[in-house]
Amino acid sequence: MSEINRSTAENNQSSLRQFEKRRNEQIASNISETVIDYDVNGLLEFHLANNSYTILCIYILSGRGWKDLSTGSNVSADGSLKSSTKMYLRWINLCFYVFIVSCFICFEVKSEFNVKSPDRKLKILGIFPHPGKSHFFVIQPILEELARRGHELTVISYFPRTNSSKAREPLPNYKEISLVDENYIVNEDSIDLSKIRHLPIITLLMELNHLKNRGQISCDNGLSNPKILELLRSNQTFDLIFIENFNTDCFLSIVHKYKVPFVGITTCQIMSWTNNHIGNPDDEANIPSVFGQRRKPMSFFDRTANFLWIHIQNILFDFWYHWYHRIPAEKLFGSDLPRFKDIAKEQSILLANTHWSLHGSRPLLPNVIEIGGVHLPSSTKPLPQDIAKFLDEAKEGVLYFCLGSMIKTSSMPPAKLQAIIKVLGSIPRKVIWKWETDDFLDKPDNVFISKWLPQFDILNC
């Protein structure tokens, strides 16, 4: 009889050892599957295996659980858990998960209270170092509207608000740091079309070199500006930064200094290097490069050339441009400044002055937002009398012809100019043409010329 009892006890101990071995292996596996992540919002996410053995670990750590397992009172002869023990573990399992859910709710509620109220007024820094009027005029309405809504703005640009604008609408919370000084005067001259030569590859490289030089001037002038240096040395803080993405990234060093969220703004089509930095797809097989002369639909040769050219642009920008543009930035912030490319990756949103109706559809990341037309006013102004009279007399309709504020139409090569004059003079309607000089030889009778035209008011009268 004693041998039978001894045999039964040995079997129970063997079963218990097997159970403990399986239990320990499962617990170790579950512990390895437990991951605690910390996301950008400061919320803890618990990923726990839905297994009763995870709870068994807690049960064992309690005095009763360890006592029951050590005595084998909760283990059947075949090594499985008794029904009463299973029920007990289920209750512990339920209580544990209720605790986890409660923690989630507490963290979520806390985060909701920590979210900044939409009524909170932000301190915003705007950095727009490119000396191009057409670029800044896209951005200015956004900045002025933010000021109207009570946010405190500090705007760095070459185009401070005019005295007439200040008199018409004072914005006391719109502060400006002008980059215009005696060392660098903004060049507002029109582009002379007679000096443009369309030579394959050479013209494209000349354009990239021109952008690099303009960007280098902006870096040298901006990062040594006494007013900017005074701002950087002050204790002023900001909640948000707006910065233009165009031909230089050297001003991202200022973003790195303040370490706050920032919004990128591109006032033209998105440059390939900007797409490369933020991970927005270029789709080289379908979307021609900004600097290329290719049009849709592209042939296989065009796609191949477009692919190579876009990647060449990105390499030139990341190495050639940045090599020059880092010099003034490192002089101001030190040689341990992170790569501009790494700083650019952190931008929260990119606002692009494009629209699918003009530039075609293309893949965009969710944080890339097209804002084409955002600079257009909500109402029109009265037209000058001569233009208004010309439009009123145009019963057959009017054609508006303009190549933009930067293009000097009168500098067009004679052969092309005569071809345009011939076509416009032959159509059965009146034409309004922006022309920069006082003389216009062979001007057709149906053409009205002016050095300046209120384009928005004309098109919406």
Side-chain angles (χ1 to χ4, degrees):
M1 188 69 177
S2 60
E3 292 179 358
I4 295 176
N5 292 336
R6 189 182 308 110
S7 176
T8 301
E10 290 176 355
N11 290 335
N12 288 339
Q13 291 178 359
S14 176
S15 299
L16 180 60
R17 284 195 296 270
Q18 292 178 2
F19 168 75
E20 290 178 344
K21 181 179 179 181
R22 292 196 303 270
R23 180 204 65 202
N24 293 335
E25 291 175 352
Q26 189 65 41
I27 290 174
S29 175
N30 288 330
I31 291 175
S32 66
E33 293 175 5
T34 302
V35 181
I36 300 178
D37 292 331
Y38 186 78
D39 65 0
V40 294
N41 296 319
L43 301 179
L44 291 175
E45 296 180 355
F46 295 87
H47 304 280
L48 298 174
N50 186 12
N51 194 301
S52 61
Y53 288 111
T54 304
I55 309 304
L56 182 60
C57 179
I58 301 175
Y59 176 69
I60 292 173
L61 294 178
S62 66
R64 178 179 175 182
W66 180 257
K67 180 179 179 181
D68 290 345
L69 286 177
S70 62
T71 59
S73 61
N74 59 352
V75 181
S76 302
D78 58 355
S80 62
L81 295 176
K82 292 182 178 180
S83 59
S84 59
T85 305
K86 290 181 179 179
M87 181 61 68
Y88 186 74
L89 291 177
R90 289 193 185 100
W91 277 107
I92 294 180
N93 198 350
L94 177 61
C95 294
F96 182 75
Y97 280 107
V98 169
F99 172 75
I100 293 297
V101 172
S102 301
C103 290
F104 270 118
I105 294 175
C106 291
F107 278 119
E108 290 289 347
V109 172
K110 182 179 179 181
S111 65
E112 289 294 331
F113 281 107
N114 287 336
V115 172
K116 295 178 179 178
S117 170
D119 296 330
R120 182 175 182 267
K121 306 309 177 185
L122 301 178
K123 294 181 179 180
I124 302 175
L125 174 63
I127 306 175
F128 307 102
H130 181 65
K133 181 186 293 186
S134 59
H135 285 243
F136 185 73
F137 281 4
V138 173
I139 305 165
Q140 191 174 26
I142 301 176
L143 302 176
E144 292 180 346
E145 181 61 29
L146 289 171
R148 293 187 192 101
R149 300 189 181 191
H151 300 288
E152 183 179 333
L153 277 87
T154 302
V155 180
I156 301 173
S157 76
Y158 283 94
F159 304 97
R161 300 183 74 214
T162 61
N163 292 330
S164 59
S165 298
K166 294 178 181 178
R168 184 173 61 254
E169 185 182 14
L171 295 173
N173 52 332
Y174 186 102
K175 302 177 182 179
E176 296 175 298
I177 297 179
S178 177
L179 296 175
V180 179
D181 57 22
E182 63 277 4
N183 297 324
Y184 185 77
I185 305 299
V186 178
N187 184 10
E188 298 183 6
D189 294 338
S190 298
I191 297 175
D192 192 339
L193 295 177
S194 63
K195 297 180 180 180
I196 295 179
R197 298 291 182 269
H198 293 285
L199 301 175
I201 300 179
I202 296 177
T203 300
L204 298 177
L205 292 176
M206 290 176 62
E207 290 178 357
L208 290 176
N209 183 61
H210 175 71
L211 284 180
K212 189 270 295 180
N213 292 336
R214 294 294 293 268
Q216 187 174 349
I217 293 174
S218 297
C219 292
D220 294 337
N221 185 53
L223 294 180
S224 62
N225 186 284
K227 296 180 181 178
I228 293 182
L229 296 179
E230 181 181 354
L231 174 67
L232 296 176
R233 296 190 187 105
S234 68
N235 296 325
Q236 187 171 355
T237 60
F238 297 97
D239 302 308
L240 180 66
I241 294 178
F242 282 87
I243 186 169
E244 182 178 5
N245 288 348
F246 185 48
N247 61 339
T248 180
D249 284 340
C250 65
F251 289 89
L252 288 174
S253 57
I254 298 179
V255 174
H256 177 70
K257 169 184 168 53
Y258 288 106
K259 293 181 173 59
V260 296
F262 69 102
V263 175
I265 300 179
T266 174
T267 56
C268 55
Q269 287 182 262
I270 305 175
M271 297 296 181
S272 62
W273 47 76
T274 300
N275 284 327
N276 183 42
H277 290 171
I278 66 175
N280 195 51
D282 271 310
D283 196 7
E284 300 91 339
N286 297 297
I287 302 175
S289 167
V290 175
F291 296 96
Q293 305 295 327
R294 310 187 188 283
R295 298 179 180 179
K296 297 180 181 179
M298 293 187 290
S299 64
F300 177 77
F301 174 80
D302 291 335
R303 294 177 183 178
T304 304
N306 189 60
F307 173 85
L308 294 175
W309 181 236
I310 286 178
H311 286 274
I312 289 174
Q313 291 171 198
N314 295 340
I315 293 173
L316 291 176
F317 187 83
D318 287 340
F319 293 95
W320 183 34
Y321 279 44
H322 281 181
W323 190 85
Y324 286 97
H325 298 173
R326 282 190 67 89
I327 295 176
E330 290 185 353
K331 182 179 179 181
L332 183 60
F333 294 99
S335 58
D336 58 343
L337 184 70
R339 295 188 307 169
F340 294 148
K341 182 177 181 179
D342 295 333
I343 303 175
K345 291 178 180 178
E346 301 299 324
Q347 61 185 304
S348 302
I349 298 175
L350 176 65
L351 305 179
N353 184 31
T354 58
H355 194 269
W356 58 267
S357 62
L358 296 176
H359 302 94
S361 60
R362 61 163 301 154
L364 296 173
L365 292 175
N367 63 333
V368 178
I369 303 173
E370 292 187 307
I371 59 169
V374 70
H375 62 290
L376 299 177
S378 57
S379 60
T380 59
K381 300 177 183 178
L383 294 173
Q385 292 184 359
D386 54 347
I387 297 178
K389 180 181 178 182
F390 184 81
L391 293 176
D392 292 338
E393 295 175 352
K395 305 301 181 182
E396 65 279 8
V398 175
L399 173 66
Y400 181 84
F401 182 71
C402 177
L403 299 181
S405 60
M406 296 296 294
I407 302 296
K408 192 175 182 180
T409 313
S410 57
S411 65
M412 191 178 300
K416 294 182 179 180
L417 179 60
Q418 289 300 320
I420 293 176
I421 292 175
K422 182 179 179 180
V423 171
L424 295 181
S426 63
I427 63 176
R429 65 185 62 201
K430 295 183 181 295
V431 178
I432 295 182
W433 188 339
K434 185 182 80 70
W435 187 264
E436 297 77 22
T437 61
D438 295 326
D439 57 329
F440 192 140
L441 299 178
D442 303 326
K443 182 179 79 68
D445 295 335
N446 63 328
V447 174
F448 176 91
I449 62 172
S450 177
K451 296 180 181 179
W452 176 85
L453 293 170
Q455 178 171 300
F456 180 80
D457 300 324
I458 291 175
L459 298 178
N460 292 274
C461 65

